[in-house]
Amino acid sequence: MKVFSKPTKGVLGLWFGLRRRQKFILQWVLGLLLGFFIYKYLGVHIVNIPGFDTVWDLGIWYIPFSAFVIVAFSNAFNITDGLDGLSTGLLLICLGVFEIIAIGNLDTPLLFFISLWAGALFAFLYFNVWPARIFLGDAGALSFGAMLAVIGLITGKILALVVVGGIFVIEATTSLIQILGWKYLKRPIFPLAPIHHTFLARGWKEPKIVIRAWILGLLLGVFGLWLATM
């Protein structure tokens, strides 16, 4: 059964026809464009560090900074999207936290957007949990990670974003460490990377890994929400 229209096939064909380096460059270009939009039209250019009463005004440098955050979370989400329901459930936790933040900021448009996105994700998760019948794929995972980063940027809660999305950060970090281990030490640091593959190799069942990741994600969400209110 054909599920994609011809324009969609063209976009997907273009993406999958690119090499890894070309995809990475394209991500940075899009990240810089989004960063410019956030800086120029939304007027966001500061980074708040909760608990230290510190505010960094990055000025024009906010554009590459935001691009880095977008590209990093985009790829981190894509790396995490390796088990049925894992990334989607974690994303819903993150959106729940930022929905509360949006309510506190009286940001009705953002609240409306997050609510619509979360509602669609709940329907998607029903079919994405183990054994999954539908999947995000690279295009969906990369765009979802980027959008989560944008939400964190426009709310000004960068540190909260890193904490709430801590599982995404851990997954990406273990993959990066594994790559560096092979490149410089000529050996792996972990049995497998990202880290959820290590648990699979140790005999953990997929639903067990996912549910425990969700539990840890909830704990990180509570901590991140506390940071956001400081």
Side-chain angles (χ1 to χ4, degrees), residues 9-86:
K9 284 183 178 179
V11 172
L12 292 177
L14 175 62
W15 175 257
F16 287 113
L18 295 176
R19 296 179 179 178
R20 183 178 300 178
R21 180 173 296 182
Q22 293 172 324
K23 291 180 180 180
F24 191 65
I25 293 173
L26 180 58
Q27 289 176 41
W28 268 99
V29 170
L30 295 175
L32 288 169
L33 289 174
L34 285 171
F36 175 78
F37 178 84
I38 295 171
Y39 171 78
K40 180 71 174 180
Y41 297 102
L42 299 183
V44 181
H45 52 83
I46 62 173
V47 176
N48 180 36
I49 308 299
F52 295 95
D53 294 328
T54 302
V55 176
W56 293 343
D57 189 344
L58 300 181
I60 194 69
W61 292 103
Y62 187 85
I63 296 175
F65 170 77
S66 58
F68 169 77
V69 174
I70 291 169
V71 172
F73 261 86
S74 178
N75 285 280
F77 191 99
N78 193 31
I79 290 170
T80 307
D81 189 38
L83 298 180
D84 295 347
L86 176 59

Side-chain angles (χ1 to χ4, degrees), residues 90 93 97 160 162-168 170 213-227:
L90 292 171
I93 294 170
V97 172
V162 174
V163 173
V164 173
I167 302 296
F168 300 126
I170 292 171
W214 288 354
I215 293 172
L216 181 56
L218 280 170
L219 294 174
L220 290 172
V222 172
F223 182 51
L225 182 60
W226 174 74
L227 283 177

Side-chain angles (χ1 to χ4, degrees), residues 81 88 119-129 134-137 144:
D81 189 38
T88 307
L121 279 176
F122 272 114
F124 175 80
L125 183 62
Y126 181 84
F127 298 98
N128 184 238
V129 292
I134 56 176
F135 308 89
L136 280 177
F144 279 14

Side-chain angles (χ1 to χ4, degrees), residues 109-131:
L110 181 60
L111 175 62
F112 185 68
F113 172 77
I114 293 176
S115 299
L116 287 177
W117 190 11
L121 279 176
F122 272 114
F124 175 80
L125 183 62
Y126 181 84
F127 298 98
N128 184 238
V129 292
W130 186 88

